[in-house]
Amino acid sequence: MVYGRVLDERGRGVPGALVEFWQANAGGRYRHKKETYLAPLDPNFGGFGRTITDEEGNYAFRTVKPGPYPWPNGVNDWRPAHIHFSVFGHGFSQRLITQMYFEGDPMIWICPIVKTIPDEQAIRSLIAALDMNATIPHDLRAYKFDIVLRGRRSTLFENRPEGN
Ligand SMILES: [Fe+2]
């Protein structure tokens, strides 16, 4: 499960935000026409979902943890496990796009795409924390990922690299 809150610059939850997410399957394979990686498709997994935040800005979804996959522009470069997010904030015309990574993954720090982010704090804002309190025994692990739309503590957005 991935869960968290969509927050504004004052740390207030943003209700009614549309949160969309897409990802590779557990083997690192996307269900996409242009996908070239040889890992198998999972017939039970589409790789895309959407939800809307509640009154406090909370969202949650159940998924499989995506696998890493090779980044074809490098000889031996890999993308760390990640989930793509698109957020339509309440009352904003702009669509915000980012990627979430998983705490403790050593692939994060050697990823050529992550390395293009000069600010370590900005990278850390993209890493979801393993939450053993929200983890359900024998069922699922929980990762917590808060998305801050604006302000000094805002999440790094791919389509807004100059700042939020
Ligand atoms: Fe990806």
Side-chain angles (χ1 to χ4, degrees):
M1 174 178 70
V2 177
Y3 81 100
R5 296 178 77 202
V6 177
L7 300 165
D8 69 12
E9 68 272 34
R10 290 174 163 176
R12 293 177 303 206
V14 178
L18 174 63
V19 180
E20 296 179 318
F21 26 87
W22 61 100
Q23 62 169 92
N25 68 24
R29 174 84 187 262
Y30 281 98
R31 188 179 286 278
H32 189 281
K33 271 191 237 138
K34 290 188 180 152
E35 171 67 272
T36 55
Y37 186 33
L38 290 173
L41 280 172
D42 177 347
N44 298 309
F45 185 68
F48 174 85
R50 55 168 41 161
T51 187
I52 292 178
T53 57
D54 70 10
E55 316 80 64
E56 270 93 50
N58 296 294
Y59 76 91
F61 59 93
R62 180 183 280 245
T63 186
V64 299
K65 187 175 179 186
Y69 59 81
W71 190 60
N73 298 23
V75 176
N76 190 21
D77 287 326
W78 293 73
R79 297 303 330 281
H82 61 278
I83 299 178
H84 297 268
F85 276 77
S86 159
V87 182
F88 292 88
H90 191 244
F92 307 137
S93 58
Q94 196 166 6
R95 181 190 192 197
L96 300 168
I97 298 171
T98 193
Q99 293 181 34
M100 186 209 94
Y101 302 97
F102 293 84
E103 179 184 354
D105 184 351
M107 304 299 286
I108 295 168
W109 305 102
I110 56 175
C111 168
I113 292 174
V114 173
K115 279 184 180 172
T116 64
I117 304 169
D119 177 3
E120 188 182 320
Q121 269 314 110
I123 296 171
R124 293 196 180 281
S125 79
L126 304 178
I127 300 174
L130 175 65
D131 183 348
M132 290 307 291
N133 289 322
T135 287
I136 302 172
H138 308 289
D139 185 4
L140 56 78
R141 288 172 297 160
Y143 283 85
K144 185 171 195 294
F145 183 51
D146 287 340
I147 300 167
V148 184
L149 296 181
R150 288 172 301 196
R152 276 188 299 128
R153 296 188 10 247
S154 67
T155 307
L156 182 80
F157 294 108
E158 300 173 355
N159 59 331
R160 222 196 239 181
E162 72 282 2
N164 306 308

